[in-house]
Amino acid sequence: MGTETVWAQATDEVTERRREQRGWYFYDWACSVYSTSVLTVFLGPYLTAVAKHAADADGFVHPLGIPVRAGSFFAYAVSASVILSIFVMPMAGAAADRTGRKKPLLALCAYLGAAATTGMFFLDGDRYLLGGVLLIVANASVAVSMVLYNSYLPQIAPPEERDAVSSRGWAFGYAAGSLMLVVNLVLYSAHDSFGVSESTAVRICLASAGIWWGAFTLVPLKRLRDRPTASAGQAPGHGWRQLAATVRDMRGKPLTLAFLLAYLVYNDGIQTVISQASVYGSEELGLSQSTLIVAVLLVQVLAVGGALGMGRLARTYGAKRTILGSLVAWTVTLGAGYFLPAGEPVWFFVLAAGIGLVLGGSQALSRSLFSHLVPSGKEAEYFSAYEMSDRGMSWLGPLLFGLTYQLTGSYRDAIISLVAFFVIGFVLLARVPVRQAVHDAGNPVPDRI
């Protein structure tokens, strides 16, 4: 084979890899609008208001006969979604690895979640139970789809590209969230001009996220390609049994398991802040929905630069050190949030800016770092465990947040309780020798990690 032929083949491979990477970015573009507009901005305050409308004289609703304070219903629904996810994610991840057919599963999860999100248009009156069911379905769907999406990263990017590719994916997601939030802000703020009520405007914003999610999912489904894996032909287990099998396999790679434990702890805190910040702003600080939308828009815009900027820092200092620095920033920011004065949006915007600068980078670098610790052929199976605390799928944080509020009646106490996740996560991550972990997973060790 001549030199020109080899060079041409190498060029074709790079071109195909770049094309697949660009298609991969677009799933972040598609589903991040759900995480931003639905989970972070609109659904928390709106579902809380619906639950309060349905509450009894003591402020409690009674799903399945269980007394729940209306202000805690949203947090509990988020926690319930991960219980469903725990059964489904390991099974879906193992099935993807063993069949090598991730795209059909990705399509199923994406469109189930998009349909549930679009169905939120019918959430009005006192239909808090409908809202809870749709939230659980949509959250579980996005969780499983992200298992499959993330598991493509080791296959479409060589080790030296993964921090950059992962950071670009997150940047695409935050850019999409920013764009949709601008549209949402115009509709919500000028709903009278459009001839719709405030409630209808919120429901349109919720449903539009589902339509966006479904439409842009077509791009990755066209460009990503399935690959045979070393695990092909083996039958996956079911629910808890498959999760137990995955964890047993991880026990043979204790450093990978140690990183995952650290990630599950600190990202539980991150995701709880994301999902509960709008409730904190509206219920504790008395801020308007328009103020919350502007704050989240600020987070989205700054998170684009933050993700790309922290990706560059990782090239100099390594992903682990950069993540540790971000956890210090998260702790300081959350502590400051406890002291925010009510009714003063400027300080809430300052807090939002701090969150935005570290949000995208801490998540993007965690994903790329974990991809180095996954044995070849088990990407989706391992990412199913990883995803249990990603994208608002955390369960312990919302549960702690909801319980703290139920016991104290104070959202300030609830928000400060989350500091523990960042402190413990920092300690756990600092103890992981990541270079040895990459080597033990059987992967090439990058020059800087």
Side-chain angles (χ1 to χ4, degrees):
M1 185 179 295
T3 302
E4 292 183 0
T5 302
V6 173
W7 182 85
Q9 288 181 344
T11 301
D12 290 343
E13 289 177 2
V14 171
T15 301
E16 176 60 27
R17 187 169 75 242
R18 294 285 186 266
R19 182 178 185 277
E20 197 169 6
Q21 288 172 359
R22 287 191 291 269
W24 184 79
Y25 300 149
F26 264 91
Y27 191 69
D28 241 323
W29 175 274
C31 72
S32 291
V33 168
Y34 164 80
S35 299
T36 303
S37 291
V38 177
L39 195 62
T40 305
V41 177
F42 287 107
L43 189 57
Y46 185 71
L47 184 55
T48 300
V50 172
K52 287 184 174 181
H53 186 264
D56 59 22
D58 295 321
F60 285 81
V61 290
H62 300 268
L64 303 177
I66 302 170
V68 172
R69 189 185 290 269
S72 296
F73 179 75
F74 173 70
Y76 289 155
V78 173
S79 293
S81 70
V82 85
I83 296 175
L84 176 60
S85 302
I86 286 173
F87 284 94
V88 180
M89 284 193 293
M91 203 164 34
D97 285 336
R98 284 152 175 72
T99 64
R101 293 178 56 79
K102 297 177 185 177
K103 280 208 296 185
L105 290 171
L106 178 61
L108 175 63
C109 297
Y111 285 107
L112 180 60
T117 305
T118 305
M120 291 177 185
F121 178 80
F122 301 101
L123 175 59
D124 60 359
D126 59 358
R127 298 177 179 174
Y128 76 97
L129 276 177
L130 174 64
V133 169
L134 292 176
L135 168 59
I136 290 169
V137 172
N139 257 5
S141 296
V142 78
V144 178
S145 72
M146 289 303 295
V147 168
L148 304 166
Y149 167 72
N150 286 336
S151 69
Y152 275 102
L153 181 59
Q155 298 176 341
I156 65 173
E160 66 275 9
E161 293 183 5
R162 286 185 202 164
D163 287 345
V165 170
S166 183
S167 296
R168 289 189 200 112
W170 280 103
F172 261 61
Y174 287 119
S178 300
L179 179 60
M180 182 57 83
L181 274 182
V182 170
V183 176
N184 291 160
L185 180 59
V186 171
L187 174 61
Y188 180 83
S189 301
H191 60 84
D192 288 334
S193 301
F194 291 101
V196 298
S197 66
E198 179 178 319
S199 172
T200 301
V202 171
R203 292 188 290 117
I204 291 173
C205 291
L206 293 172
S208 65
I211 295 171
W212 176 289
W213 184 359
F216 283 104
T217 294
L218 293 172
V219 179
L221 291 180
K222 182 177 181 180
R223 292 197 174 187
L224 292 173
R225 59 187 178 89
D226 287 330
R227 297 163 171 83
T229 68
S231 303
Q234 302 176 31
H238 300 278
W240 286 101
R241 188 170 63 189
Q242 180 58 53
L243 176 60
T246 301
V247 172
R248 280 197 302 272
D249 188 75
M250 284 185 177
R251 289 174 64 184
K253 298 167 182 62
L255 297 182
T256 297
L257 193 59
F259 171 82
L260 182 62
L261 177 61
Y263 173 78
L264 291 176
V265 171
Y266 70 73
N267 201 52
D268 206 335
I270 292 174
Q271 297 305 324
T272 307
V273 173
I274 293 172
S275 66
Q276 304 302 323
S278 58
V279 176
Y280 180 69
S282 63
E283 298 294 322
E284 182 69 35
L285 302 182
L287 302 176
S288 68
Q289 185 73 66
S290 296
T291 298
L292 297 176
I293 295 173
V294 173
V296 175
L297 179 59
L298 180 61
V299 170
Q300 299 297 303
V301 171
L302 291 177
V304 174
L308 297 176
M310 287 181 66
R312 294 189 181 94
L313 285 175
R315 289 201 293 268
T316 302
Y317 300 103
K320 177 184 173 180
R321 289 182 180 179
T322 307
I323 295 169
L324 288 172
S326 76
L327 297 182
V328 174
W330 271 108
T331 302
V332 172
T333 302
L334 202 61
Y338 177 84
F339 297 101
L340 287 184
E344 306 231 359
V346 172
W347 290 109
F348 193 70
F349 292 151
V350 172
L351 183 73
I355 291 174
L357 289 173
V358 295
L359 175 61
S362 57
Q363 293 175 315
L365 294 177
S366 296
R367 177 170 65 185
S368 61
L369 181 54
F370 184 70
S371 73
H372 293 285
L373 312 182
V374 176
S376 178
K378 296 188 176 181
E379 292 86 1
E381 185 176 344
Y382 272 55
F383 267 109
S384 69
Y386 174 91
E387 188 60 27
M388 284 180 188
S389 191
D390 203 8
R391 294 280 180 137
M393 296 303 107
S394 53
W395 62 275
L396 185 57
L399 182 61
L400 176 62
F401 187 94
L403 284 173
T404 303
Y405 175 73
Q406 179 145 341
L407 293 173
T408 67
S410 169
Y411 282 107
R412 292 186 187 273
D413 291 340
I415 203 76
I416 200 64
S417 69
L418 302 179
V419 166
F421 290 95
F422 298 101
V423 174
I424 296 172
F426 180 97
V427 172
L428 292 175
L429 178 59
R431 294 169 59 89
V432 179
V434 292
R435 298 186 69 84
Q436 185 63 44
V438 176
H439 179 270
D440 290 352
N443 295 322
V445 181
D447 293 336
R448 191 173 298 278
I449 191 170

